[in-house]
């Protein structure tokens, strides 16, 4: 197990290097670059620009520049924002945590709601509940996230005034969990609802497939109780593909987070990415793309590890 | 070849088609979705005939008017008729979705066929490349490319197609891997068919079903992606209306003129829902492994 984990983590390194190299080449074609601020300054002469460009190593081939970037990157120097001159790592730290907080909270809500909805729909196939749940799931899956966010703001913040329309906490107050949760509800639901729709359908299909397998019939004929059959035999087997898809879904959740953070003014990495793209702030873009790629790879690894917990037939070697 | 297209096979084909049609029509939601899509396309194409207003026709004396007999869905912050803009916006949103999917299908088929046909190192390299692309959330790539290459209609179509061809490529490749060793392909090769004619005549037609399904669902996600990009200001630029960019100001206007936020998004939702219903039914109809419930 430890061996497997170690090997998989090692395998991620060349992949990340490849990805960051490609991204670096793409980003280095961005108009502007780190000298933008100097170029628009009439007091900076052309020879100064050339000297600066030489000092910063911008006259070097892109692969050499990438090598330098990588060397600094592993030492924790992720460069400086072209716009705010802040250190990228410093800018990303708190924002990354904020995004993670949002994504994890949405994932928890998704799992808590989708598993019972999907399982119950499948168990009561073709019942009224099943039709309503699958119908709603289909609709939830088809809603554009940003519009859902706008509707939530309209109903729960503007009309009913139950919840805040944006931000992460009430400014100028002490930390309070209730306050944090109130700010968390709408962004979480906006992010989670399409996933809930998707997974309810997915899990329903999974349970239906397992439900009629021989080993389930055997379990019934042994006289096991309904809960025993459902949880120990059916659900456990239906959950394996569910976890794979959950991991594959992480990039989509991140996509959703960009939208949700923008709408709800959530100070996260997604919103920063959007702003940085508008400003061509490439050191920040580079940092965020690296983190999101790493996040996706880690989630795939996590999925691989969780199979073993759910299905003891799967061994790592 | 004349022997193969003899009567029994043609009849068999017709039988398969009618069975697929029957399976499709068994989905009531999909039939409703198809009608909805037809109406949406009709409204978008014949927008000038349906609406007495122009999409950029401003009336600064009548801004943010609530829905009324005169303006069925109200007006926006520049006094433009919302329904008219939704109809014209449909032209952009629907056509971008369809064209982006066309790009995705063409690129995906080419790459998938190349990988499947040639195999070996090229196949491995192309598949690794797909893995690399899939490491990024699609909106990350969309935002990046839109900010790099600009936001004209054509670039948006190409960018959307450029981040969504991977599913088709994998489907096409896997049908090549599945069919290449089959007897009928071997036989055709023994008869001296070239690689290209093998691909076009025998393998690609077999991949058609799953590709059609993937293309349908891809259209839905391309429409959502376009509207998201446009909403974020990195897609189709105003004053040309698209369902996404019509929502750009909606957040600021949400308390004073909620209809500006509700209706354009409702159109996206209904379109995507309809396409997803159709795609679901197509999957049932075209996938032989599925059986009628």
């Amino acid at each position: 197990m430890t061996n497997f984990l170690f090997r998989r983590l090692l395998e991620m390194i060349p992949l990340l290097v490849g990805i960051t190299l490609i991204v670096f080449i793409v980003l280095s074609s961005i108009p502007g670059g780190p000298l933008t601020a100097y170029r628009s300054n009439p007091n900076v002469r052309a020879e100064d620009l050339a000297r600066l460009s030489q000092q910063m190593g911008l006259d070097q081939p892109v692969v050499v520049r990438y090598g330098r970037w990588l060397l600094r990157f592993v030492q924790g120097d992720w460069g400086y924002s072209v716009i705010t001159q802040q250190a990228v790592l410093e800018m990303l730290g708190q924002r990354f945590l904020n995004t993670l907080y949002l994504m994890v909270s949405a994932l928890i809500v998704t799992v808590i709601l989708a598993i019972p909805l999907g399982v119950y729909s499948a168990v009561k196939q073709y019942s009224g509940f099943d039709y309503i749940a699958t119908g709603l799931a289909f609709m939830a899956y088809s809603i554009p996230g940003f519009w859902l966010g706008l509707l939530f703001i309209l109903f729960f913040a503007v009309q009913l005034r139950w919840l805040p329309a944006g931000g992460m906490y009430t400014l100028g107050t002490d930390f309070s969990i209730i306050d944090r949760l109130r700010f968390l509800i709408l962004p979480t639901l906006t992010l989670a609802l399409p996933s809930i729709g998707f997974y309810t359908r997915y899990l329903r299909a999974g349970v239906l497939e397992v439900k009629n397998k021989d080993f389930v019939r055997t379990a019934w004929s042994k006289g096991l109780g309904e809960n025993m059959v459902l949880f120990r035999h059916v659900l456990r087997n239906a959950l394996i593909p569910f976890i794979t898809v959950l991991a594959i879904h992480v990039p989509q959740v991140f996509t959703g987070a960009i939208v949700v953070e923008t709408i709800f003014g959530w100070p996260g990495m997604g919103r920063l990415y959007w702003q940085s793209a508008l400003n061509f702030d490439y050191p920040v873009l580079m940092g965020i793309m690296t983190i999101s790629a790493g996040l996706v790879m880690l989630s795939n690894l996590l999925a691989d590890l969780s199979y073993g917990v759910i299905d003891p037939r799967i061994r790592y070697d | 070849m004349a022997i193969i297209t003899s009567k029994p096979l043609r009849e068999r084909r017709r039988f398969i088609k009618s069975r697929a049609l029957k399976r499709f029509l068994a989905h009531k939601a999909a039939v409703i979705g198809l009608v909805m899509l037809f109406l949406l396309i009709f409204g978008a194409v014949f927008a000038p005939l349906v609406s007495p207003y122009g999409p950029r026709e401003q009336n600064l004396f009548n801004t943010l008017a609530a829905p009324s007999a005169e303006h069925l869905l109200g007006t926006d912050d520049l006094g433009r008729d919302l329904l008219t803009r939704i109809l014209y916006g449909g032209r952009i949103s629907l056509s971008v979705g369809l064209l982006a999917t066309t790009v995705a299908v063409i690129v995906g088929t080419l790459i998938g066929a190349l990988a499947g046909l040639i195999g070996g190192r090229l196949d491995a390299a192309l598949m690794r490349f797909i893995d690399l692309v899939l490491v990024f959330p699609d909106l990350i790539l969309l935002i990046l490319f839109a900010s790099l290459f600009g936001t004209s209609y054509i670039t948006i179509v190409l960018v959307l197609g450029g981040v969504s061809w991977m599913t088709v490529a994998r489907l096409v490749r896997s049908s090549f891997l599945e069919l290449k060793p089959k007897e009928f392909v071997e036989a055709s090769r023994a008869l001296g068919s070239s690689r290209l004619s093998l691909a076009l005549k025998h393998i690609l037609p077999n991949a058609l079903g799953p590709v059609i399904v993937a293309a349908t669902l891809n259209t839905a996600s391309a429409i959502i992606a376009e509207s998201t990009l446009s909403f974020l200001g990195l897609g189709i630029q105003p004053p040309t209306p698209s369902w996404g960019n019509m929502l750009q100001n909606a957040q600021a206007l949400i308390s004073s003129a909620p209809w500006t936020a509700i209706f354009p998004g409702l159109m996206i939702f209904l379109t995507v829902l309809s396409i997803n219903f159709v795609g679901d039914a197509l999957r049932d109809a075209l996938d032989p492994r599925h059986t009628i419930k």
Side-chain angles (χ1 to χ4, degrees), chain A residues 20-315:
Chain A
T20 46
L21 175 64
I22 294 173
V23 173
F24 193 89
I25 292 171
V26 171
L27 285 179
S28 61
S29 67
I30 279 188
L35 297 177
T36 319
Y38 301 105
R39 239 178 240 129
S40 54
N41 186 341
N43 295 327
V44 180
R45 288 167 303 161
E47 52 260 45
D48 293 333
L49 269 178
R51 191 167 41 82
L52 270 171
S53 141
Q54 199 186 1
Q55 267 176 12
M56 292 174 149
L58 291 172
D59 50 344
Q60 303 279 329
V62 69
V63 179
V64 176
R65 279 188 283 149
Y66 171 75
R68 285 195 189 149
W69 175 85
L70 190 63
L71 212 65
R72 293 203 191 113
F73 183 85
V74 293
Q75 291 168 357
D77 175 8
W78 292 19
Y80 295 85
S81 159
V82 176
I83 306 297
T84 64
Q85 313 299 334
Q86 242 183 313
V88 171
L89 193 60
E90 203 178 293
M91 281 173 89
L92 289 186
Q94 189 55 45
R95 286 187 174 87
F96 171 69
L97 291 178
N98 291 347
T99 298
L100 210 59
Y101 170 53
L102 185 62
M103 283 174 70
V104 169
S105 127
L107 271 175
I108 292 174
V109 171
T110 302
V111 170
I112 288 181
L113 287 176
I115 291 184
L117 281 173
V119 173
Y120 197 70
S121 290
V123 171
K124 304 275 177 214
Q125 196 186 4
Y126 302 136
S127 66
F129 177 88
D130 180 30
Y131 278 114
I132 292 172
T134 24
L136 286 179
F138 214 106
M139 290 169 87
Y141 178 55
S142 304
I143 292 185
F146 63 98
W147 185 58
L148 185 64
L150 290 177
L151 288 187
F152 277 153
I153 293 177
L154 177 61
F155 291 114
F156 296 109
V158 175
Q159 301 275 334
L160 298 171
R161 296 184 183 281
W162 285 355
L163 294 162
M168 242 180 102
Y169 47 86
T170 313
L171 293 173
T173 55
D174 291 333
F175 179 85
S176 110
I177 291 185
I178 304 286
D179 184 60
R180 288 282 174 136
L181 285 179
R182 274 169 46 83
F183 277 88
L184 189 61
I185 293 175
L186 290 184
T188 301
L189 282 182
T190 309
L191 194 53
L193 212 65
S195 311
I196 295 172
F198 179 78
Y199 288 116
T200 301
R201 280 169 51 83
Y202 192 83
L203 208 65
R204 176 180 178 273
V207 170
L208 284 179
E209 207 182 306
V210 179
K211 208 171 88 169
N212 297 318
K213 287 261 164 78
D214 288 343
F215 67 86
V216 177
R217 201 173 314 128
T218 311
W220 282 118
S221 56
K222 279 196 297 190
L224 294 178
E226 188 168 357
N227 285 338
M228 189 71 172
V229 176
L230 201 60
F231 289 107
R232 286 295 286 277
H233 295 265
V234 177
L235 192 58
R236 229 176 162 172
N237 283 286
L239 273 183
I240 298 170
F242 177 77
I243 285 172
T244 326
V245 179
L246 205 63
I248 297 174
H249 210 62
V250 164
Q252 247 161 301
V253 180
F254 193 87
T255 285
I258 299 179
V259 174
V260 169
E261 287 175 7
T262 309
I263 292 174
F264 289 96
W266 190 267
M269 212 166 58
R271 184 156 156 257
L272 180 67
Y273 183 78
W274 171 62
Q275 290 163 339
S276 307
L278 291 176
N279 294 326
F280 298 121
D281 195 347
Y282 69 96
V284 180
L285 292 177
M286 186 80 207
I288 297 178
M289 289 186 83
T290 311
I291 291 185
S292 74
L295 201 66
V296 172
M297 285 186 220
L298 269 181
S299 66
N300 287 340
L301 176 60
L302 224 58
D304 282 352
L305 290 177
S306 57
Y307 300 146
V309 178
I310 289 177
D311 188 346
R313 285 171 302 185
I314 296 172
R315 292 270 163 82

Side-chain angles (χ1 to χ4, degrees), chain B residues 36 65 68 76 84 114 135 156 164 172 223 232 245 256:
Chain B
M36 278 279 311
S68 63
D76 68 5
T84 307
L114 213 61
V135 161
I156 293 298
S164 61
V172 170
I223 288 174
L232 293 175
N245 73 26
S256 53

Side-chain angles (χ1 to χ4, degrees), chain B residues 83-228:
Chain B
L83 178 59
T84 307
R85 283 181 68 74
I86 283 179
L87 292 174
Y88 280 91
R91 290 180 168 188
I92 300 287
S93 298
L94 294 170
S95 65
V96 167
L98 285 171
L99 286 177
T101 299
T102 312
V103 172
V105 168
I106 291 174
V107 174
T109 307
L110 282 177
I111 293 189
L114 213 61
L117 203 58
I118 295 174
R121 280 198 182 167
L122 182 73
D123 179 30
L126 286 173
M127 289 306 115
R128 286 317 283 166
F129 180 65
I130 288 183
D131 289 344
L132 273 183
V133 180
L134 286 177
V135 161
F136 290 109
D138 56 357
L139 196 55
I140 287 267
L141 295 179
L142 287 173
I143 288 178
L144 180 71
F145 291 144
S147 67
L148 276 181
F149 304 133
T151 53
S152 73
Y153 182 86
I154 299 289
T155 41
I156 293 298
V157 166
L158 291 177
V159 163
L160 282 172
V163 302
S164 61
W165 51 269
M166 289 83 76
T167 316
V168 173
R170 281 182 168 170
L171 283 172
V172 170
R173 172 183 175 268
S174 68
S175 70
F176 268 92
L177 295 186
E178 191 188 323
L179 295 174
K180 238 169 45 174
K182 287 274 161 71
E183 287 88 353
F184 73 96
V185 179
E186 287 279 330
S188 176
R189 191 178 4 221
L191 286 170
S193 304
S194 69
R195 273 181 169 183
L196 190 68
S197 86
L198 272 181
L200 292 178
K201 253 195 204 139
H202 296 297
I203 298 181
L204 285 178
N206 277 294
L208 201 61
V211 169
I212 288 175
V213 176
T216 311
L217 299 177
N218 192 71
T219 309
S221 52
I223 288 174
I224 289 198
E226 180 275 318
S227 62
T228 306

